[in-house]
Amino acid sequence: RPSVKRVGEQGRAARGMVSDDLQEFGLFEPEEDWFFFAADAQMRIWYCSENLISIMQNTFLYTGGAHGMYFTWPLNLAIDADGPREFSLCDMFIAGTGWLEKLSDYVIKSLRSQGASGVLSGEITALDEEMLARFAVGPVGLDFYFAPYDVGAYAEGTYHVRVAWSALKGLVDMG
């Protein structure tokens, strides 16, 4: 089927983009001091359609100190006749709708209900595009991920907020 073939081709192109990103991470050099540190990266295709691929990479790094750190890195790709193109959060929203403030309010409310100490203390009252940059696109909506220290103490772990498409009605450019 042409659509399955096209997604397969685009998936290979996306895999190439991810591979290029990993190459920038560095080569494994046992004679270097950091050889004894730990790194683990796992990638998962969060969503895949003919027009979109959303990939999430979970990474754990230990470079010394009290504990390691873990992060979630997204790769969101729109697919058209020219191939895959990475897009950001602001690319999805309609300008002039106040989407960032509305989205921030929604996510802050969820983080408050989950007990994120940075929100509960009043230290974090709004989220900008940089704080909302780790997101995945799915059939139900947008999933946002926050690493330790982003919105709370390390001991609290990570936070996840799902924003349903219905909550984004009138804000998202579905094209």
Side-chain angles (χ1 to χ4, degrees):
R1 296 186 337 212
S3 62
V4 172
K5 181 179 178 190
R6 185 163 182 252
V7 168
E9 291 167 359
Q10 302 306 339
R12 282 189 291 282
R15 184 176 58 208
M17 292 174 79
V18 170
S19 179
D20 290 346
D21 286 347
L22 289 176
Q23 288 297 324
E24 291 177 21
F25 188 69
L27 299 174
F28 191 67
E29 300 177 17
E31 65 275 3
E32 296 295 326
D33 291 338
W34 60 265
F35 173 76
F36 297 101
F37 299 153
D40 179 49
Q42 300 174 1
M43 293 183 193
R44 181 171 78 162
I45 296 176
W46 194 256
Y47 180 74
C48 182
S49 72
E50 283 191 43
N51 305 351
L52 188 137
I53 299 175
S54 191
I55 301 168
M56 294 304 287
Q57 175 182 316
N58 295 314
T59 303
F60 173 81
L61 296 173
Y62 177 76
T63 58
H67 54 72
M69 281 296 294
Y70 41 103
F71 309 91
T72 302
W73 304 97
L75 178 61
N76 294 298
L77 303 170
I79 302 168
D80 58 23
D82 296 328
R85 172 187 53 83
E86 191 169 352
F87 64 90
S88 65
L89 188 63
C90 68
D91 295 330
M92 297 184 61
F93 288 89
I94 302 168
T97 59
W99 66 267
L100 183 56
E101 182 179 350
K102 293 172 185 173
L103 181 59
S104 173
D105 289 347
Y106 187 99
V107 173
I108 288 286
K109 182 179 178 182
S110 177
L111 291 169
R112 183 176 293 112
S113 72
Q114 294 179 54
S117 62
V119 174
L120 293 175
S121 70
E123 178 185 346
I124 299 170
T125 58
L127 301 170
D128 60 16
E129 285 183 56
E130 184 178 342
M131 286 291 293
L132 294 169
R134 288 187 300 272
F135 71 97
V137 180
V140 177
L142 298 175
D143 290 283
F144 294 90
Y145 296 88
F146 300 91
Y149 297 123
D150 281 351
V151 294
Y154 180 87
E156 295 172 39
T158 60
Y159 286 95
H160 166 246
V161 176
R162 176 168 288 156
V163 183
W165 292 120
S166 59
L168 302 170
K169 188 173 182 176
L171 304 175
V172 175
D173 178 3
M174 296 303 275

